[in-house]
Amino acid sequence: MLLGVEEGNPQLGLIDYGQVKALTRDERLLFCKLIIALADDNKEEICTLMKEAGYKSKYMDPNILYKFAKVGYDEDNLELTEGKHIQVYMEHLHDSDPVDQIPQQYIMASRASILLRGLGHAVHQSRSVAKAWRPIAVKALEEAERNVSPVK
């Protein structure tokens, strides 16, 4: 669609409603905590939050769970993925500890993270998505804390 024609500033606008997911307040806040844990590389907290989000696998191997979260929501590099393409590496993780249930509510966030990182790799600008999103997550948690009235 073409936007801004009337104002003399035409721009191409794209809307992809297929990439939209509504999260409950609790789901958003849990994801904020996960993003902070990923940005801080807090393996124990990452595993705890992934379990709380609903991740289940055959062996619940914390190393696989940690790597699954890092690659799914944060970053991928040759060291992390053992030199494998991200898709091949994710399949390797699944083969090592078969996933029974993934947090469905966060699939779009994982997709956005992977797509952004793919674009970054294409222009040789690899990034940690969690580190970029961390300030937003911190702000969301602080606002949520301020908006909760104490129980009497």
Side-chain angles (χ1 to χ4, degrees):
M1 101 178 47
L2 200 54
L3 304 172
V5 175
E6 292 81 24
E7 296 83 19
N9 185 22
Q11 297 177 359
L12 182 61
L14 303 172
I15 300 172
D16 184 352
Y17 289 105
Q19 298 298 306
V20 174
K21 172 69 176 156
L23 299 175
T24 67
R25 179 182 185 276
D26 290 342
E27 289 168 342
R28 284 192 312 275
L29 297 179
L30 188 141
F31 192 69
C32 287
K33 291 174 187 176
L34 178 60
I35 289 299
I36 293 167
L38 286 162
D40 295 346
D41 202 29
N42 184 334
K43 183 177 179 179
E44 186 177 329
E45 184 70 3
I46 291 166
C47 291
T48 298
L49 292 166
M50 286 292 285
K51 290 174 190 173
E52 188 177 332
Y55 178 92
K56 293 180 183 163
S57 64
K58 185 173 183 177
Y59 307 114
M60 292 302 287
D61 181 330
N63 292 317
I64 301 295
L65 177 53
Y66 166 78
K67 291 174 184 177
F68 186 87
K70 287 293 282 184
V71 173
Y73 303 111
D74 183 22
E75 63 182 335
D76 59 286
N77 54 55
L78 294 178
E79 182 181 342
L80 181 64
T81 63
E82 300 168 11
K84 298 178 175 84
H85 180 275
I86 186 172
Q87 182 63 39
V88 173
Y89 186 69
M90 293 291 270
E91 290 169 5
H92 164 73
L93 293 177
H94 178 74
D95 291 343
S96 300
D97 187 3
V99 177
D100 294 326
Q101 181 178 317
I102 59 172
Q104 294 291 314
Q105 66 275 28
Y106 303 125
I107 287 177
M108 284 299 147
S110 176
R111 181 164 164 69
S113 174
I114 291 168
L115 288 172
L116 287 170
R117 293 189 327 250
L119 178 61
H121 291 317
V123 296
H124 306 287
Q125 295 292 315
S126 300
R127 296 283 190 268
S128 162
V129 174
K131 286 180 183 169
W133 289 350
R134 189 183 195 285
I136 299 165
V138 168
K139 182 179 176 185
L141 288 172
E142 288 171 352
E143 287 175 359
E145 191 173 293
R146 281 194 304 269
N147 292 329
V148 174
S149 57
V151 178
K152 295 184 181 190

